[in-house]
Amino acid sequence: MPPISEQTPEDVKFENVHLKRIFLEHLNSIYFGKKHLIDFFEEIKELASLAYLKEAVQECYEATQKQLAQLDSIYSAINETPSKTTVLGIKAMTLEAYLSAIKTGKTAMERDVFIVFYVQIIEGIEITYFDVLRNLAKAIGYSNTFINKPFNLAVKNKLVFEAIYKAYITEPA
């Protein structure tokens, strides 16, 4: 079905109520995605073989708990409460990561590489969610600085796992 008109993004104007609803939907998605990740990080920490990977996953677990607390304060600041939503994308990604890591015949190193690969993808998704939340918050007049802490934690975690991944796949000189 062809578009009704040839509008540009500049032509589309959202009402504040719609932006708030979109913001809240995104906030709920990242919130319940984070709740799911708590269990995921506990599971993959047990699968990881190297001590520093286990430590990095533990740090990610702790950062996720901090981010949940920060998200709780965001809900309080905007006088809202979390509203349960499905997070099928994150659940599918974590299931794929888990199945890839436990696939029979993988060495411990191969498992670790798959764990790190998938955690990087998950952190990238989180960074995108927080960036969208910052932009939406600014558009509806909320301070977007309260999203900076969870955003910065997600960026830090992604960089940690990128460094671990590079260490795994780089051949010694």
Side-chain angles (χ1 to χ4, degrees):
M1 182 176 195
I4 296 172
S5 68
E6 297 296 321
Q7 290 184 325
T8 66
E10 293 80 21
D11 297 329
V12 177
K13 300 293 180 216
F14 282 99
E15 297 292 324
N16 220 15
V17 68
H18 296 132
L19 288 173
K20 285 181 181 180
R21 188 169 41 229
I22 293 168
F23 176 84
L24 196 53
E25 283 184 40
H26 280 71
L27 187 61
N28 286 329
S29 292
I30 194 70
Y31 184 83
F32 287 99
K34 290 272 180 204
K35 285 198 162 286
H36 172 73
L37 288 176
I38 292 288
D39 296 332
F40 173 71
F41 291 136
E42 287 178 331
E43 290 174 8
I44 63 168
K45 187 173 112 179
E46 297 304 315
L47 293 174
S49 62
L50 286 179
Y52 71 87
L53 178 55
K54 285 181 180 282
E55 290 170 16
V57 171
Q58 179 63 33
E59 287 177 20
C60 207
Y61 171 85
E62 291 168 6
T64 300
Q65 289 181 315
K66 285 180 188 174
Q67 288 169 322
L68 278 169
Q70 292 162 345
L71 292 172
D72 282 331
S73 68
I74 292 170
Y75 280 108
S76 292
I78 62 172
N79 295 317
E80 294 286 348
T81 57
S83 179
K84 187 77 170 155
T85 188
T86 61
V87 286
L88 295 177
I90 286 288
K91 287 183 176 182
M93 183 63 62
T94 58
L95 177 61
E96 183 178 327
Y98 184 77
L99 293 175
S100 293
I102 65 166
K103 193 180 230 178
T104 57
K106 281 201 168 73
T107 66
M109 187 184 96
E110 289 170 329
R111 267 194 320 272
D112 286 353
V113 169
F114 273 93
I115 289 169
V116 173
F117 170 73
Y118 280 102
V119 172
Q120 286 182 82
I121 292 171
I122 291 165
E123 290 300 333
I125 293 168
E126 290 181 1
I127 290 167
T128 301
Y129 261 116
F130 285 127
D131 199 32
V132 167
L133 283 175
R134 288 192 313 182
N135 290 327
L136 284 168
K138 185 177 179 183
I140 55 181
Y142 292 154
S143 168
N144 64 355
T145 57
F146 57 83
I147 300 170
N148 286 342
K149 282 184 182 180
F151 174 83
N152 291 339
L153 270 173
V155 169
K156 178 187 163 273
N157 288 341
K158 187 170 189 315
L159 293 174
V160 165
F161 285 101
E162 280 178 11
I164 292 170
Y165 189 76
K166 286 177 185 175
Y168 265 114
I169 63 170
T170 304
E171 292 183 40

